[in-house]
Amino acid sequence: MRRIYATICICLMTAINMMAQSVTPDDGLTLRQQSIVKIASCTGRGDLENLKPALASGLDNGLTINEIREVLIHAYAYCGFPRSLRALQTFMVVLDERKTQGIEDTAGRDASPVEDNRTRYERGRDILAEISGVPADAPKAGYAEFAPVIERFLKEHLFADLFERDVLTYEERELATVSVIAALGESVEPMLRSHMAICRNLGMTQGQLDKVLAIATAETADFTVKDVFQKGNKLPDTPNFTGDAWLEMFVTKADSMDCTVGNVTFAPGVRNSWHSHPGGQILLCTSGEGRYQEKGKPVQVLRPGDVVKIAPNVVHWHGATPDSEFKHIAIGPQQSKGGAVWLDAVTDEEYNNR
């Protein structure tokens, strides 16, 4: 019994800690910086599944639409057009989902006009000298000597066309650059070291950079919670679920706690019927992406770390999105008031009305 209580406490603490990350700086990085790192590293790795919650978290942490869009545009210079474009498409989906939920995200300002009459090469050359601390007239060597055209492209396009766009600061662009390169993995270490040196020249500490690397190189960008709970047994066919679902109970009515606690897993696209709980319910979302709706309200998208507090007798449904398995811990308090009251099935129109 003590082990069950400890497991539940760990789950609650994990959810609370993940929510707290949205309001508290961590290890020398502000929430804004952490969001840039997570967004850029997921883009560089092509990890669209974890990019979605990273984008949503970035908006919640105060980044504007234009600032996030700029991070995704900036990334193409280091991980290529395909991943940058897929990230932008994913961002469009996230914005649409939030709009249907009634969330109005701030667009933010666009880039200021460039009023410098020098050539793009001269402007890019001087920006690179400013952020790196290396004199602009330093002798060319290595790739710049071997392939002068790419050195010109770097100065004119990367350090002029992109870095001159003041939607992001130089430090934020380099933060995104280090995150993308770190996510690419092996064979790009020289570029990673070079851009980390630029970050230090711009005022970042080694401790901050260590945290950047820890986030950027995490296989799941810190968003996927590993399955610490048993998946349990597949539920028998029932009209209350549209497909495969699994349940592992931790606390049952037999434990005389006046509550139940269980781990519920929905296969992609599966949801339960409209229902209510006389004593209310609490959902702790731990993995995948899900949907939740209360009668008469819009559908909400659920992600790891989300906590749903359902008042007694509120009619609702929950389940997985079409393309993702979804898991949550379901806590049923006040069981003495009775169990779930099952109602009509959720129609496809209701499920997709987002």
Side-chain angles (χ1 to χ4, degrees), residues 46 48 92 162 166 187 203 216 227 346:
L48 301 183
M92 293 166 63
L162 288 182
D166 57 358
S187 79
D227 293 334
V346 175

Side-chain angles (χ1 to χ4, degrees), residues 70 74 162-163 165 169-177:
E70 198 71 22
H74 180 90
L162 288 182
F163 272 73
R165 292 176 56 81
T169 66
Y170 291 161
E171 180 183 288
E172 288 168 341
R173 287 192 180 277
E174 280 301 319
L175 192 64
T177 299

Side-chain angles (χ1 to χ4, degrees), residues 266-299:
F266 296 85
V270 173
R271 72 269 190 183
N272 52 30
S273 298
W274 290 104
H275 64 286
S276 63
H277 302 273
Q281 188 179 45
I282 302 170
L283 305 179
L284 306 180
C285 307
T286 60
S287 179
E289 187 173 77
R291 292 180 183 176
Y292 168 80
Q293 183 182 26
E294 294 180 1
K295 204 73 170 179
K297 296 184 179 181
V299 175

Side-chain angles (χ1 to χ4, degrees), residues 101-146:
Q101 296 169 36
I103 301 174
E104 293 293 333
D105 293 304
T106 303
R109 67 181 187 86
D110 206 342
S112 304
V114 176
E115 299 179 350
D116 191 326
N117 292 325
R118 292 176 300 162
T119 67
R120 291 163 60 230
Y121 181 89
E122 291 170 332
R123 301 199 310 266
R125 175 200 63 195
D126 291 346
I127 289 174
L128 178 57
E130 177 184 347
I131 65 177
S132 67
V134 177
D137 57 357
K140 293 181 175 60
Y143 70 82
E145 185 177 26
F146 178 73

